[in-house]
Amino acid sequence: MTTKTLLCNLCPNCCALTVTLEGDTVTGCTGNLCTQGADFARQELTMPLRNVTTSVAVSGGLYPLCSVRLSAPIPLSRLTEAVDLLHGLTVTAPVAMGQVLLEDLLGLGVQVLSTRSVPALQIRRD
Amino acid sequence: MNEPILKDVVILGGGPAGLAAALALHEQGVRDLVILEREPEAGGILRQCIHDGFGLTRFHEALTGPEYAKRFLDPVRAAGIELHTGTTVTGLTAQRLVTAVSHRGLTQYQARAVILAMGCRERAAGALPMYGARPAGVFTAGVAQAYVNLYNTMVGREIVILGSGDIGLIMARRLTLEGAHVLGVYEILPHPSGLPRNVTQCLDDFHIPLHLSHTVTKLHGAARLEAVTVCAVDEQRRPLPETAARIPCDTLILSVGLIPENELSRMAGIELDSQTGGPVVDQFLQTTVPGIFAAGNVLHVHDVADDVSAEAEFLAAQVARYLAGPLPHCPIAVTGRGCGHVVPQRLCRGEAAVLSFRPAAPRRHLVVEAVQDGQTLCRRTIPYATPAQMVHLPIPDLADGSPVEVCCYDDENPAV
Ligand SMILES: Cc1cc2nc3c(=O)[nH]c(=O)nc-3n(C[C@H](O)[C@H](O)[C@H](O)COP(=O)(O)OP(=O)(O)OC[C@H]3O[C@@H](n4cnc5c(N)ncnc54)[C@H](O)[C@@H]3O)c2cc1C
Ligand code: SF4
């Protein structure tokens, strides 16, 4: 049996978790204020997951950028790849908050969602 | 100038504090109110915080800043609450006369109650003891965040971050993802000042080194920053010259603290607390000038937006009460030991209250107690706490008028 300490990063409480392991299996978790802490520990010690927030380029919009996030966290090991892909993406205004900008990121079954609205740039002819 | 417009409540600032207060007042039947916001859009600092992690307590979801703001802005609009953006408040008197400037010109409001919700601004380089010229390439973290997130402008390539506040940590990750090379984060204190979750997900995930008990002592470069000198510091935070190292970089990002924005409060003659940088308030969040209240970052710096909205909603209930008649007198002083500062600073007799403060240093087994006349009024223990996390301590109604002291200490090591 081994023990490991880690911080739960799911919420600002940042509980200090002490996890006991039998081989690779988590057998106990203390220090968590809620049940999510134990699930987090299990996940973090096998395959850490993170959400990604960045922005993508917008053409024809009132602003040059649209901030985005993913519909669910992805493996930390795929983060750089995901960001590189998002940096190559350009979407066309108007963009609504919550709009799906990409259906299936890197085949991970996760959507790219807009987190702001970008109205189309109105060109005045006068 | 025209006659002042009469209002029950005028709210200065349309960030989460101002918006949440307005909504709660509206729900309580106070309808004669207006929000005045300097920026072209309401939402406050949240507009530029595109990272997620907002609303975990209130909505049980990790929202981004703009999404969180929308949760308040939509109902504010639906309720038809008067909101003027692009409107800067330039004057406030103790008689609650508010002067605002916008493209429409100058407008004055005579309010029965004023809510201060102006948030805070960042401490800038001028406030730091650093030698050398002031070349281009030195930004506060929030300014860098606005450049990158709102205006699509990259601030630099080789980056050093001074201070481990949450914004600095978040920018370390953001700039790394944008392709910059973050050389390291230097923090003068022996512990990080941002939330532990930001240290793990913004630095550790990207192998960005965090140098505790270190500071930047000198800037090099003429037109543009070329390097910084970093130094370890001793326990009194004095740089140790023999440890000095020159680090080539083109950008220095400062995340060295936030200062509540209180020029208007000063103008109105409101007493400020030198520790919080915000107004001295009683347990109803009323400042020392009757009818002027404060909530959110203008009062004391919060880490979590949910705390700000909750505080603003509590404040709204007190303002509604005030409009119906004066609030109880609060003569009982509150002080802190082992914690930075305590808000509110004054209490009344006969009504329960909640005190907010931060432990002075990280504690493995934090015990917090409120003591009056040598007697413990209440006590809470927290398994692990850092100065980055605000602690709330509910205290029972007081029968006695003597001062209250909040004590924070470590159960395992009471001497600390
Ligand atoms: C960069 C950063 C990252 C953060 N990250 C997180 C996070 O991940 N999770 C989380 O929960 N919390 C986070 N927070 C904390 C939270 O967002 C803030 O505590 C919260 O926004 C404070 O709200 P506020 O309404 O008091 O102030 P603000 O949001 O600053 O709003 C104040 C408003 O008042 C306006 N104003 C100021 N002066 C005037 C004037 N004279 N006239 C008119 N208007 C005026 C300003 O324009 C602004 O819109 C973060 C804060 C910062 C700064
Ligand atoms: S264990 Fe629960 S309360 Fe603690 S940090 Fe994780 S999610 Fe938050």
Side-chain angles (χ1 to χ4, degrees):
Chain A
M1 197 186 77
T2 51
T3 61
K4 267 194 179 163
T5 57
L6 70 159
L7 285 175
C8 178
N9 71 13
L10 294 180
C11 90
N13 283 327
C14 307
C15 295
L17 310 177
T18 305
V19 186
T20 49
L21 292 158
E22 286 304 342
D24 282 341
T25 334
V26 174
T27 50
C29 177
T30 57
N32 45 322
L33 287 177
C34 82
T35 52
Q36 286 191 62
D39 297 336
F40 171 83
R42 217 163 275 126
Q43 185 70 53
E44 188 71 8
L45 294 173
T46 47
M47 184 178 64
L49 298 177
R50 298 288 185 270
N51 208 317
V52 180
T53 54
T54 179
S55 19
V56 301
V58 181
S59 71
L62 190 56
Y63 315 114
L65 288 179
C66 178
S67 52
V68 298
R69 71 175 164 113
L70 308 182
S71 56
I74 60 168
L76 179 59
S77 55
R78 306 291 299 275
L79 200 87
T80 320
E81 219 183 318
V83 171
D84 287 347
L85 188 138
L86 292 172
H87 282 166
L89 200 67
T90 302
V91 298
T92 312
V95 183
M97 190 184 275
Q99 189 177 324
V100 179
L101 301 179
L102 196 67
E103 201 44 71
D104 183 10
L105 177 75
L106 299 172
L108 293 164
V110 164
Q111 296 170 325
V112 177
L113 304 175
S114 146
T115 58
R116 73 166 304 167
S117 60
V118 183
L121 190 64
Q122 306 285 336
I123 299 173
R124 282 170 49 186
R125 291 199 184 106
D126 47 22
Chain B
M1 194 163 31
N2 295 332
E3 284 288 289
I5 302 167
L6 302 182
K7 285 281 171 201
D8 276 346
V9 184
V10 175
I11 301 175
L12 315 188
L19 295 174
L23 262 184
L25 280 167
H26 185 87
E27 272 160 25
Q28 286 165 44
V30 179
R31 300 288 156 90
D32 186 24
L33 55 96
V34 62
I35 311 172
L36 305 176
E37 167 57 50
R38 180 173 60 192
E39 298 296 320
E41 278 178 294
I45 199 75
L46 296 174
R47 293 193 313 128
Q48 68 184 60
C49 298
I50 65 162
H51 62 278
D52 65 344
F54 295 84
L56 285 155
T57 317
R58 174 184 284 254
F59 302 115
H60 305 288
E61 266 183 80
L63 301 170
T64 62
E67 291 172 313
Y68 188 86
K70 194 172 187 297
R71 297 275 169 118
F72 291 89
L73 205 46
D74 282 351
V76 161
R77 292 215 179 93
I81 294 171
E82 199 179 329
L83 163 65
H84 296 296
T85 53
T87 305
T88 305
V89 177
T90 55
L92 175 66
T93 71
Q95 291 70 42
R96 300 178 303 282
L97 181 70
V98 178
T99 307
V101 180
S102 71
H103 69 275
R104 295 177 303 275
L106 210 61
T107 312
Q108 286 198 312
Y109 296 92
Q110 178 58 58
R112 291 178 62 207
V114 168
I115 297 178
L116 307 175
M118 291 94 73
C120 57
R121 66 184 139 73
E122 296 178 282
R123 187 165 287 145
L128 297 174
M130 275 189 290
Y131 295 99
R134 288 289 181 266
V138 182
F139 302 89
T140 64
V143 168
Q145 188 179 45
Y147 271 120
V148 176
N149 290 350
L150 297 180
Y151 309 115
N152 196 16
T153 305
M154 196 54 184
V155 289
R157 288 284 140 207
E158 295 291 317
I159 296 173
V160 167
I161 300 185
L162 175 62
S164 59
D166 284 314
I167 325 173
L169 299 178
I170 280 162
M171 283 313 289
R173 171 177 66 184
R174 181 83 181 113
L175 292 166
T176 304
L177 290 177
E178 288 301 315
H181 182 206
V182 178
L183 297 154
V185 176
Y186 295 84
E187 167 59 56
I188 197 164
L189 297 175
H191 52 83
S193 37
L195 289 172
R197 66 192 296 266
N198 285 334
V199 176
T200 50
Q201 17 173 32
C202 299
L203 301 186
D204 299 352
D205 276 3
F206 300 96
H207 313 291
I208 300 170
L210 170 61
H211 305 274
L212 298 172
S213 300
H214 274 73
T215 191
V216 170
T217 51
K218 191 167 178 183
L219 306 181
H220 307 270
R224 176 83 193 195
L225 187 68
E226 282 163 16
V228 295
T229 300
V230 297
C231 255
V233 298
D234 66 12
E235 274 152 26
Q236 275 75 50
R237 301 188 204 168
R238 283 178 310 222
L240 302 164
E242 63 278 15
T243 65
R246 185 185 159 109
I247 301 191
C249 61
D250 58 27
T251 305
L252 175 68
I253 304 251
L254 305 172
S255 181
V256 289
L258 300 163
I259 312 169
E261 181 117 46
N262 277 292
E263 282 67 26
L264 293 168
S265 318
R266 267 188 215 100
M267 238 183 244
I270 290 167
E271 187 188 332
L272 299 180
D273 181 326
S274 60
Q275 299 227 13
T276 58
V280 169
V281 291
D282 63 23
Q283 71 182 72
F284 309 106
L285 303 183
Q286 184 169 224
T287 67
T288 52
V289 174
I292 303 185
F293 295 77
N297 279 358
V298 77
L299 177 57
H300 53 153
V301 175
H302 296 64
D303 335 285
V304 180
D306 280 337
D307 260 1
V308 172
S309 345
E311 186 173 273
E313 284 162 355
F314 170 80
L315 169 133
Q318 312 315 312
V319 171
R321 252 172 93 179
Y322 170 84
L323 292 173
L327 292 166
H329 180 51
C330 294
I332 305 171
V334 188
T335 53
R337 184 146 52 93
C339 51
H341 61 259
V342 185
V343 172
Q345 291 87 345
R346 304 204 162 266
L347 299 172
C348 74
R349 247 178 261 207
E351 201 171 321
V354 179
L355 303 178
S356 305
F357 47 89
R358 295 163 190 278
R363 300 282 183 237
R364 283 196 58 80
H365 288 269
L366 178 72
V367 180
V368 296
E369 285 179 340
V371 182
Q372 190 183 37
D373 285 332
Q375 284 203 306
T376 303
L377 299 168
C378 54
R379 186 188 154 95
R380 219 187 125 188
T381 58
I382 298 164
Y384 176 73
T386 79
Q389 291 155 295
M390 209 188 288
V391 176
H392 303 286
L393 178 68
I395 63 161
D397 48 351
L398 305 172
D400 187 75
S402 38
V404 170
E405 187 178 48
V406 175
C407 309
C408 287
Y409 56 88
D410 199 319
D411 209 11
E412 289 181 337
N413 190 0
V416 188

